[in-house]
């Protein structure tokens, strides 16, 4: 999973968190999972988002990179066990939203640092970002299918998310603001 924890998700994040939590809880016990969060800086589920973000430099226009001397954690596969699912659920709900929706570093991590390369990536975002990384995804995805889930995405931001799904053999799903508002009323957390 590559998940948007940026400030632009505010007002949409409860639905995203609910769907992400439900997906993690449905994973088969024989599988493995990796959750990469982004908001300009990228970090792994369970890491302290505020502490990690202070180790990155950049902006949403020119991109983000780790500060000199800081080496981000390498993403790794987590076995799907009840204990890991419970811990990931806590992380999904407690991780704060920060900065902006720059996602290129997260895809670099998922497609070059995870071994073996993922069969499937679920990309959850509102898509409100300057598009970076499209060429990287086109050239580095291999056989990885990418399913894009767009939460209240502005019309101009839908096209790149639809393209990512199409070129990878995945699917695009759009969740409108009206659907988000209706679902939020049903979410107990």
């Amino acid at each position: 999973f590559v998940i948007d924890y940026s400030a632009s998700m505010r007002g949409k994040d409860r639905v995203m968190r609910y769907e992400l939590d439900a997906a993690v809880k449905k994973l088969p016990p024989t599988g493995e999972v990796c959750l990469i969060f982004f908001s300009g800086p990228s970090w792994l589920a369970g890491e302290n988002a505020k502490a990690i973000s202070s180790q990155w430099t950049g902006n949403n226009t020119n991109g983000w990179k780790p500060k000199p001397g800081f080496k981000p954690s390498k993403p790794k596969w987590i076995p799907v066990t009840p204990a890991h699912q419970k811990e990931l659920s806590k992380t999904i709900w407690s991780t704060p939203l920060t900065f902006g929706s720059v996602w290129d570093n997260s895809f670099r991590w998922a497609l070059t640092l995870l071994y073996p390369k993922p069969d499937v990536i679920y990309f959850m975002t509102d898509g409100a970002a300057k598009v970076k990384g499209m060429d990287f995804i086109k050239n580095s995805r291999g056989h990885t299918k990418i399913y894009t889930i767009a939460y209240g995405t502005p019309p101009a931001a839908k096209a790149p998310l639809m393209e990512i799904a199409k070129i990878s053999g995945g699917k695009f799903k759009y969740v409108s603001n009206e659907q988000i508002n209706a679902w939020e009323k049903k979410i107990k957390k």
Side-chain angles (χ1 to χ4, degrees):
F1 292 89
V2 174
I3 309 113
D4 187 345
Y5 271 83
S6 68
S8 66
M9 287 294 289
R10 194 160 282 115
K12 305 167 226 178
D13 64 301
R14 282 178 38 122
V15 171
M16 178 274 296
R17 292 172 198 260
Y18 179 82
E19 286 197 309
L20 177 58
D21 190 25
V24 168
K25 287 176 179 171
K26 289 179 186 173
L27 291 171
T30 57
E32 293 180 314
V33 66
C34 180
L35 276 67
I36 302 173
F37 296 164
F38 70 89
S39 66
S42 295
W43 67 98
L44 303 177
E47 293 184 315
N48 182 318
K50 297 274 186 193
I52 294 290
S53 65
S54 71
Q55 297 298 318
W56 287 70
T57 184
N59 57 55
N60 294 338
T61 302
N62 298 316
W64 290 83
K65 63 183 180 184
K67 288 182 177 177
F70 174 69
K71 186 171 179 172
S73 300
K74 183 179 176 186
K76 60 185 182 278
W77 292 109
I78 302 167
V80 177
T81 65
H84 285 144
Q85 287 170 309
K86 186 175 181 179
E87 190 59 38
L88 287 171
S89 179
K90 279 194 253 176
T91 297
I92 288 164
W93 288 100
S94 66
T95 299
L97 302 177
T98 60
F99 302 120
S101 302
V102 180
W103 42 263
D104 58 322
N105 288 307
S106 297
F107 273 98
R108 276 189 184 80
W109 286 11
L111 295 172
T112 63
L113 298 179
L114 272 172
Y115 182 80
K117 192 178 276 196
D119 295 324
V120 175
I121 293 175
Y122 291 93
F123 179 33
M124 306 170 89
T125 184
D126 65 356
K130 298 214 183 276
V131 178
K132 294 180 187 237
M134 288 296 283
D135 288 336
F136 179 81
I137 291 170
K138 288 176 187 176
N139 297 326
S140 303
R141 67 175 174 72
H143 297 289
T144 302
K145 288 184 179 185
I146 303 171
Y147 292 79
T148 57
I149 302 109
Y151 295 92
T153 302
K158 285 183 190 176
L161 298 174
M162 292 169 75
E163 182 181 355
I164 290 169
K166 183 178 179 182
I167 64 172
S168 71
K171 292 187 179 180
F172 169 79
K173 175 184 172 184
Y174 176 67
V175 183
S176 71
N177 286 323
E178 293 77 21
Q179 289 171 307
I180 290 167
N181 292 336
W183 287 358
E184 276 199 342
K185 293 174 184 169
K186 297 175 184 176
I187 296 171
K188 302 282 188 225
K189 286 199 179 223

